[in-house]
């Protein structure tokens, strides 16, 4: 898509009034201050300090220094016209050992952040767990251990008691698939274990922790607060329509999607999932009453979408040597993963907005009464500041145009999507890839911590402004129009009153 087309799209895509325009981040990826306020190591501190685990030996020790630059970052969000901001709370910052009372200094940061956001007219959306388990809990067994679910619910209560009166949207877990299967099966994420049975136990205890936390949140938060869960559901496609490839789709759908959707929305684990993994575990970790706990109703489902998953039946004769331990317990021998077609991002992930459309349509079919939120969507590219200081990221603008257009079409087709949170507000610590992969709509020079809105930030701001301008007609707070939004110089950011 050309720049002109992009601008047209920004002017013409109109979403329903009240649509949430957001950006998302996660604590370990942006905060830094790893040793401040009594914070103790999380599994990601330990993992990133283990040689060979994270590219270049990068850690989240400083990250984008958001802990100290939070007011500047909130001002930036206001400049962009965001209506909502999704952030996560660092568990080891508010409850360092994962047990016992909260550390007020740790909670104070989130109190200040919440206050700033509300002052700026931005709704806070909090995620309680975005992968930073206190190391002490991992030492006690981590998510494969049942007690971790109860520890998580207790931690949820501490955060809800401190912030519950001011945060309208709560998410228990971010992408439990990654926590369970990248953390405990393939080991490419913290804590780096490679035990498929432990990964399945972890998945169940993450589900249980979610359910217990929903119970706690309902009992602690004001009635109007909404409670949700964010999943990185896979849009799984077969290479062909053959029975063998469809069988591969079924297996991966069970391990990626239904292992979370079925217990949370239907109070059961799929029988085919239990059968496929019978050689790995007997599922005796599911106790009486767990599924009722997990299936407590939630108000919305968050979806993180980046690229589809294409699979085929494994060739029984020619099996390529595995690249490492698999994140797919029970499916290693049965399924092959293939690249989807299309241009790739810097992660090597194919750009395929149809995958998002397919996913939304499926969820609408299967969960017609559940409001959906796109809680993450975005792309990494090799962005840099040119000699004038500008950061041009036309590929990301196109990515956003295409994916927001897919969301727009879905809404037009009657699918209840309530908001979109771009991943990510800032370039940040991209887990095992360190600082080498830039997902931000705002460029961060990690040496100086200087923030520079990329062209994609300007494009997003223009789209938001055009839409919020329309909402004005419906009686909401007026905002500046697209022309002002396109001029996001640091000087204007500091000086301009946006509301
Ligand atoms: O950076 C991550 C985020 O923490 C979780 N979802 C995927 C993003 C990109 O890999």
């Amino acid at each position: 898509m050309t720049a002109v087309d992009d601008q047209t799209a920004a002017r013409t895509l109109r979403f329903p009034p009240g649509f949430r325009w957001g950006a998302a981040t996660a604590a370990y990826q942006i905060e830094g201050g790893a040793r401040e306020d009594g914070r103790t190591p999380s599994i990601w501190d330990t993992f990133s300090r283990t040689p060979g685990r994270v590219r270049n030996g990068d850690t989240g020790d400083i990250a984008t220094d958001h802990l100290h630059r939070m007011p500047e970052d909130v001002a930036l969000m206001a400049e962009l016209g965001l209506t909502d901001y999704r952030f996560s709370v660092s568990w080891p910052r508010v409850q360092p050992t994962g047990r016992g009372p909260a550390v007020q200094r740790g909670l104070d940061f989130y109190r200040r952040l919440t206050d700033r956001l509300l002052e700026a007219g931005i709704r806070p959306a909090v995620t309680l767990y975005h992968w930073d388990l206190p190391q002490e809990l991992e030492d006690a067994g981590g998510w494969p251990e049942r007690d971790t679910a109860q520890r998580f619910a207790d931690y949820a209560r501490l955060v809800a008691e401190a912030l519950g009166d001011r945060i309208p949207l709560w998410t228990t877990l971010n992408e439990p698939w990654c926590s369970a299967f990248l953390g405990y099966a393939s080991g490419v994420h913290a804590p780096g274990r490679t035990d498929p049975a432990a990964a399945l136990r972890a998945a169940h205890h993450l589900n249980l922790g979610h359910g217990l936390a929903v119970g706690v949140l309902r009992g602690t938060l004001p009635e109007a607060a909404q409670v949700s869960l964010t999943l990185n559901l896979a849009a799984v496609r077969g290479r062909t329509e053959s029975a063998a490839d469809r069988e591969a789709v079924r297996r991966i759908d069970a391990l990626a999607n239904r292992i979370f959707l079925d217990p949370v929305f239907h109070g059961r684990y799929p029988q085919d999932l239990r059968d496929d993994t019978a050689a790995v575990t007997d599922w005796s970790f599911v106790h009486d009453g767990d599924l009722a706990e997990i299936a407590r109703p939630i108000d919305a489902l968050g979806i993180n979408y980046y690229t589809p998953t294409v699979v085929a039946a494994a060739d029984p004769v020619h099996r390529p040597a595995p690249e490492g331990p698999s994140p797919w317990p029970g499916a290693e021998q049965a399924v092959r993963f293939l690249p989807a077609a299309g241009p790739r991002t810097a992660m090597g992930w194919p750009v395929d907005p149809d995958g998002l459309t397919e996913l939304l349509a499926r969820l609408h079919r299967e969960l017609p009464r559940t409001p959906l939120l796109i809680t993450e969507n975005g792309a990494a590219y090799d962005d840099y500041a040119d000699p004038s200081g500008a950061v041009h990221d036309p590929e990301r603008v196109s990515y956003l145009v295409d994916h927001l257009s897919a969301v727009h079409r879905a809404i037009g087709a009657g699918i209840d999507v309530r908001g979109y949170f771009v991943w990510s507000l800032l370039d940040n610590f991209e887990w095992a890839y360190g600082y080498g992969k830039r997902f931000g709509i705002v460029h961060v020079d990690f040496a100086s911590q200087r923030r520079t809105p990329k062209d994609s930030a300007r494009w997003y701001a223009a789209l938001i402004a055009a839409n919020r301008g329309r909402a004005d007609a419906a009686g909401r707070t007026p905002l500046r129009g697209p022309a002002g939004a396109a001029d996001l110089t640091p000087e204007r950011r500091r000086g301009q009153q946006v509301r």
Side-chain angles (χ1 to χ4, degrees), residues 174-185:
N174 179 72
E175 301 185 1
W177 184 87
C178 296
S179 300
F181 296 107
L182 301 183
Y184 293 95

Side-chain angles (χ1 to χ4, degrees), residues 44-124:
W44 269 98
D45 295 87
T46 307
F47 190 76
S48 61
R49 286 177 197 148
T50 307
R53 293 303 209 169
V54 173
R55 278 196 198 165
N56 301 318
D58 290 344
T59 72
D61 283 4
I62 298 172
T64 69
D65 195 30
H66 174 71
L67 194 72
H68 304 112
R69 292 165 195 266
M70 176 271 285
E72 179 193 348
D73 291 338
V74 174
L76 192 49
M77 294 177 216
E79 267 304 304
L80 295 175
L82 300 186
T83 61
D84 293 71
Y85 172 54
R86 174 178 181 245
F87 62 93
S88 79
V89 170
S90 161
W91 188 345
R93 195 178 296 289
V94 306
Q95 193 194 33
T97 61
R99 296 169 202 278
V103 169
Q104 292 306 316
R105 276 176 303 158
L107 279 172
D108 282 346
F109 171 70
Y110 300 104
R111 291 192 176 102
R112 290 196 304 275
L113 168 60
T114 302
D115 288 347
R116 279 273 172 171
L117 290 167
L118 293 173
E119 278 160 29
I122 299 169
R123 274 177 302 212

Side-chain angles (χ1 to χ4, degrees), residues 425-484:
L425 178 71
L426 302 169
D427 291 337
N428 60 46
F429 176 81
E430 177 50 28
W431 307 111
Y433 296 89
Y435 295 99
K437 302 292 178 197
R438 294 179 175 274
F439 273 92
I441 57 170
V442 174
H443 181 271
V444 178
D445 172 5
F446 294 112
S448 65
Q449 294 293 355
R450 182 185 153 86
R451 276 81 163 130
T452 305
K454 303 177 189 177
D455 287 354
S456 56
R458 297 168 194 276
W459 179 84
Y460 192 46
L463 175 64
I464 296 172
N467 275 275
R468 295 188 73 184
R470 178 181 186 237
D472 296 342
R476 293 176 39 139
T477 319
L479 275 175
R480 61 184 161 57

